[in-house]
Amino acid sequence: MQLSSWDFTLQNYDAVWGFMVQLGLLLLFLMLGNILRRKIPLFRNCLIPSALLGGTMLLLLNVVCKQFGFTPVDKRLMQVITYHCLAIGFAAMSLKTERSAHKTNRAQVVEFGALQGGTYMLQAFVGLGITLLLFLLTRHGSQIISYICGLILPLAFGQGPGNALSWDINFTNTPATQFAGNGSFGLSLASIGFVVASVFGVFYINLHKKRGALSVRHSATPAPSNEQADPNNVELPDNESVDKFTLQVGFVALAYAISFGFMCLLGVLSDFTNSIAWGFNFLWASLAAMLIKVVVKYLRKTQLMHRDYINNYQMDRISGFSFDLMIVAGVAAIEINDIKNYVLPIVILCLMGTIVTYAYVRLVAKECFKGFEHEFFLMCFGTLTGTASNGMILLKEVDPNLRTPTSSLYILSNFPAMVMIAPLLLFLSFASQSLTNAVIACAIFFVLWLVYTLFLFRRRVFKKHYKDKPNTPWEDTEQ
């Protein structure tokens, strides 16, 4: 029997070279974005991410090349990379060992989760409310604005391009929504969210520095390392037959493989479970990573595993690389023709989303996180309009050695935040089925936001005294 052969020539470009050329473009323009950020003070001072600059340059290159009949960017492949990088980044983040560098208040851990849930619900309520109104105003016109597109706001601002892309496409494929974002609408919102996180974060820092309310918390000693915090930490040595980084990638791949199997199971159970399976790849990857972490912890406890194979530092590098790649690919995948009819809702959603997020996070920071409210605000605002990377960059501008408990609270609040955000994720598919469902979902988001807000402001509203005194201002005792 004669086997068919193939070669590596240009005739087999799509099969052999297509993916590598697209990946090379992403990495090349990521490096160019970093050069641009380093050389132009405006971008550097505004903390604009290098990945965003690189993606914008690649998008502009694609637009220019199209005028000459050549398209260097494979939009579909860029969307696929964006979709998977979100889940890979979340899996790597979830695999990290949660070791807090500070003594944290349990009430504040839950409050941080409630704030994230409350902000998501507020963004969903405001975004969906705006587009419901725009739909009613344009429903008899020539250009109807879909009622559902505002629900992409919390996904774009809160979770970045990956989930915004996923649900943009889901809504586009749902006839009842009359929506044709084709992924570009959500990616546009997410891209603007990065700019909002950076520009408004820098504005906040400069404003409060001038007022004397904010100063950089320098320290004579370096920030404690999570890897040094545990005396029982026995890492895999660098001279093993398998590279340490390879094992980290293997753990992430295992988490994603488990999540893929779970998504396949949901896909065959029913139409409803199929509708929620594939859009939440990042959530299933996070849960699978947590399961792996529990198993590893058990094996370590029973002495069946004698080394710490999961390395926090390298997991940070994997998630950082994934999110950088996601941002560049997400911006490059934007199709200008797909968003030209949605300029008005994009502008209104971004403007209102920025205002309500800024105001809500600021109020909660003053109420629940006294003593480090500015550091907390910057971390939370950056995360809830961009990504965790944006929040960490802003935090390190004023707290370079992480002396405040902000970063520790963020690490420990991942699970309560996931629980508080879950209702939004569950109602996404429901809201897209009809206008009536969207109105019901909008009302539910408002009620949930009200519940979370009452919890956060419970001391002020109910005048109740708590034994743990979670509202006692945190004090920086380091000299």
Side-chain angles (χ1 to χ4, degrees):
M1 178 179 180
Q2 185 178 1
L3 297 176
S4 60
S5 62
W6 61 286
D7 56 43
F8 302 94
T9 62
L10 191 60
Q11 283 69 28
N12 260 345
Y13 172 80
D14 287 337
V16 181
W17 288 102
F19 175 77
M20 292 306 297
V21 169
Q22 296 299 306
L23 181 61
L25 279 174
L26 292 179
L27 297 175
L28 173 62
F29 276 85
L30 177 59
M31 294 172 66
L32 291 175
N34 188 58
I35 293 173
L36 198 64
R37 186 179 187 273
R38 295 281 297 172
K39 297 300 181 181
I40 299 180
L42 176 63
F43 294 145
R44 186 171 64 251
N45 295 336
C46 289
L47 305 180
I48 302 295
S50 300
L52 180 61
L53 294 174
T56 303
M57 287 192 292
L58 186 54
L59 172 63
L60 294 176
L61 173 69
N62 197 49
V63 171
V64 172
C65 288
K66 277 187 175 182
Q67 305 305 315
F68 299 95
F70 171 61
T71 307
V73 175
D74 185 338
K75 175 185 171 183
R76 179 60 58 85
L77 183 56
M78 292 297 174
Q79 290 181 342
V80 170
I81 291 174
T82 303
Y83 173 79
H84 289 302
C85 280
L86 175 71
I88 292 170
F90 266 83
M93 288 176 59
S94 301
L95 279 167
K96 289 175 57 180
T97 305
E98 297 176 352
R99 299 189 184 107
S100 174
H102 300 86
K103 183 178 180 181
T104 53
N105 188 305
R106 290 184 180 179
Q108 288 183 328
V109 171
V110 179
E111 286 168 347
F112 201 161
L115 170 58
Q116 294 180 68
T119 306
Y120 272 76
M121 298 306 161
L122 179 60
Q123 291 173 344
F125 164 69
V126 171
L128 191 54
I130 288 172
T131 49
L132 281 170
L133 180 60
L134 290 175
F135 173 77
L136 294 175
L137 294 175
T138 62
R139 64 189 305 181
H140 299 299
S142 57
Q143 291 185 348
I144 299 174
I145 295 178
S146 172
Y147 63 84
I148 200 64
C149 58
L151 196 49
I152 300 175
L153 176 64
L155 306 176
F157 269 32
Q159 295 181 341
N163 214 22
L165 165 71
S166 176
W167 280 96
D168 182 322
I169 292 176
N170 280 343
F171 292 154
T172 299
N173 293 333
T174 303
T177 63
Q178 303 180 56
F179 181 56
N182 294 312
S184 295
F185 182 91
L187 293 174
S188 300
L189 286 180
S191 301
I192 295 172
F194 293 126
V195 177
V196 167
S198 302
V199 173
F200 273 77
V202 171
F203 169 78
Y204 183 93
I205 292 172
N206 292 331
L207 176 65
H208 286 85
K209 277 185 178 179
K210 288 181 179 179
R211 291 179 175 177
L214 178 61
S215 59
V216 179
R217 297 181 187 265
H218 291 295
S219 176
T221 58
S225 168
N226 282 340
E227 301 304 326
Q228 297 172 348
D230 185 1
N232 297 317
N233 178 22
V234 182
E235 289 191 11
L236 185 71
D238 293 327
N239 59 354
E240 282 285 330
S241 59
V242 179
D243 188 85
K244 187 190 300 185
F245 183 75
T246 304
L247 288 176
Q248 311 309 305
V249 175
F251 276 113
V252 174
L254 177 60
Y256 206 16
I258 293 173
S259 66
F260 176 71
F262 183 68
M263 286 186 283
C264 289
L265 176 62
L266 290 178
V268 300
L269 286 179
S270 68
D271 290 339
F272 172 73
T273 55
N274 181 62
S275 68
I276 66 172
W278 308 103
F280 298 133
N281 63 328
F282 73 98
L283 177 61
W284 313 131
S286 295
L287 293 175
M290 292 178 185
L291 175 62
I292 292 173
K293 197 161 59 174
V294 169
V295 173
V296 169
K297 185 177 180 180
Y298 172 78
L299 294 176
R300 286 279 288 153
K301 185 177 180 180
T302 57
Q303 295 298 306
L304 294 174
M305 181 184 289
H306 302 285
R307 288 171 172 167
D308 275 333
Y309 286 94
I310 297 177
N311 182 280
N312 282 0
Y313 173 79
Q314 294 190 341
M315 286 300 176
D316 276 335
R317 302 289 65 78
I318 294 174
S319 62
F321 174 74
S322 299
F323 290 144
D324 282 341
L325 212 60
M326 176 186 72
I327 294 170
V328 180
V331 177
I334 294 174
E335 179 59 58
I336 302 299
N337 290 330
D338 288 336
I339 62 172
K340 62 183 181 182
N341 294 328
Y342 292 99
V343 173
L344 178 62
I346 287 175
V347 171
I348 296 176
L349 287 172
C350 289
L351 180 62
M352 293 304 300
T354 300
I355 292 173
V356 298
T357 303
Y358 187 99
Y360 187 63
V361 175
R362 183 78 181 100
L363 288 172
V364 175
K366 291 172 65 176
E367 174 69 19
C368 300
F369 303 92
K370 294 179 180 178
F372 59 105
E373 61 182 74
H374 298 296
E375 292 82 1
F376 177 85
F377 169 84
L378 290 167
M379 175 71 188
C380 205
F381 179 78
T383 301
L384 290 170
T385 52
T387 62
S389 299
N390 294 94
M392 188 57 69
I393 290 171
L394 291 172
L395 174 63
K396 287 190 174 182
E397 282 293 307
V398 296
D399 187 12
N401 296 115
L402 304 180
R403 291 170 64 180
T404 66
T406 305
S407 58
S408 295
L409 286 171
Y410 178 75
I411 293 171
L412 298 173
S413 68
N414 282 336
F415 181 73
M418 192 178 295
V419 173
M420 306 262 186
I421 295 168
L424 168 65
L425 305 179
L426 292 174
F427 276 98
L428 288 172
S429 181
F430 170 82
S432 67
Q433 298 304 314
S434 68
L435 177 63
T436 302
N437 285 13
V439 173
I440 294 172
C442 190
I444 291 173
F445 296 144
F446 175 76
V447 171
L448 288 171
W449 169 76
L450 192 61
V451 170
Y452 294 156
T453 303
L454 285 174
F455 169 74
L456 290 167
F457 289 88
R458 63 195 182 281
R459 307 176 193 90
R460 186 185 298 271
V461 174
F462 301 109
K463 307 293 183 183
K464 186 173 181 179
H465 175 73
Y466 288 82
K467 293 181 180 180
D468 60 351
K469 297 182 179 179
N471 206 30
T472 302
W474 175 83
E475 294 183 0
D476 188 355
T477 57
E478 184 176 342
Q479 301 297 326

